[in-house]
Amino acid sequence: KERTADTWKGNQDRYSSNFDTFLKDEFKKKLFKPTAGHNDIRILPPSSVWADYGHYGLTIYRHTNIGPRRGAFLCHNHPISLPNGQELVQGRQHNKCPVCVQNDLAQKAGNKKLSSQLYAKPGCIVWMIDRNAMEKGPQLWIMPATKVDKEILLRAYDAKRQKALPVDHPEQGYDVSFEMNQQQTPEGNFPNYSGINLDREPSPIHQDPSKLGKYLEFIEQFPLPSVLKYHDPSYIIQELDGADAPVSGEEKATSEAEID
């Protein structure tokens, strides 16, 4: 029986997406990958769903490099919520994170190498535009917490005058530039970020008002909380149990890890 082109493409995609991630399947291909060397981006503002969150991105804690498929899972012990306590991402089971349980056991056993792999890593997920690939439209980026997100915040805030630059403002915001290079460590290669800078002058997300409007419509249609998912703890336990010697501490670093 003759197979369609879509079937052929689907068979191909299985090899490139056979891993677990906290992004819903339809958004996996929207993930931004910084290029080696210089990068210029623009952070998009929050949608109305989470406008009261207080930041341009959502702070997430995730466990990476879990199980034989090196999956990445949101930590159930860290809520993603508004200041009033309303959780933005459904499916979290409070204090029932099996990876944190394994991490506690590794710490009690003095296995620092395993604990360094299992702990919940912070990050900041944003919708953004790659200034060097505008045709791709809005993309998702999981910023390293201290190497990028914190550095942007430091440069955006003027402590002397107690004023802040509205980095993510649609029309009066600021582009962000940085350098990314791979750094070799005994555990593997990690993306390392440096030279975080903000433009000296504000600018709109796009000079064309109609295209600017389309960007804003997109992030309103697909707010950040809607792209994330919690895996059921029982499923994560299966992945942990299926790992090759899950308490050996011999696992390699995940491609999502970063040097904080």
Side-chain angles (χ1 to χ4, degrees), residues 14 17-21 28 64-73 231 235 238-240 242-244 254-255:
R14 284 208 301 267
S17 60
N18 186 27
F19 60 91
D20 289 307
T21 176
K28 286 181 180 179
T64 59
N65 201 29
I66 302 300
R69 294 187 299 165
R70 305 297 186 248
F73 304 96
H231 286 76
Y235 179 82
Q238 291 179 2
E239 288 297 295
L240 284 167
D244 298 326
T254 178
S255 59

Side-chain angles (χ1 to χ4, degrees), residues 45-57:
S47 66
S48 60
V49 171
W50 59 286
D52 294 333
Y53 184 79
H55 194 25
Y56 49 64

Side-chain angles (χ1 to χ4, degrees), residues 169-219:
H169 193 283
E171 297 174 334
Q172 296 294 320
Y174 293 78
D175 285 5
V176 179
S177 62
F178 61 89
E179 303 290 325
M180 192 284 288
N181 294 286
Q182 295 291 330
Q183 181 168 333
Q184 294 182 346
T185 73
E187 290 76 26
N189 293 337
F190 292 86
N192 192 26
Y193 300 87
S194 61
I196 310 295
N197 275 307
L198 305 182
D199 271 3
R200 295 186 178 184
E201 298 292 334
S203 63
I205 294 172
H206 202 290
Q207 297 292 341
D208 185 336
S210 64
K211 291 185 178 179
L212 168 58
K214 289 182 179 179
Y215 288 151
L216 298 180
E217 288 175 5
F218 180 90
I219 61 174

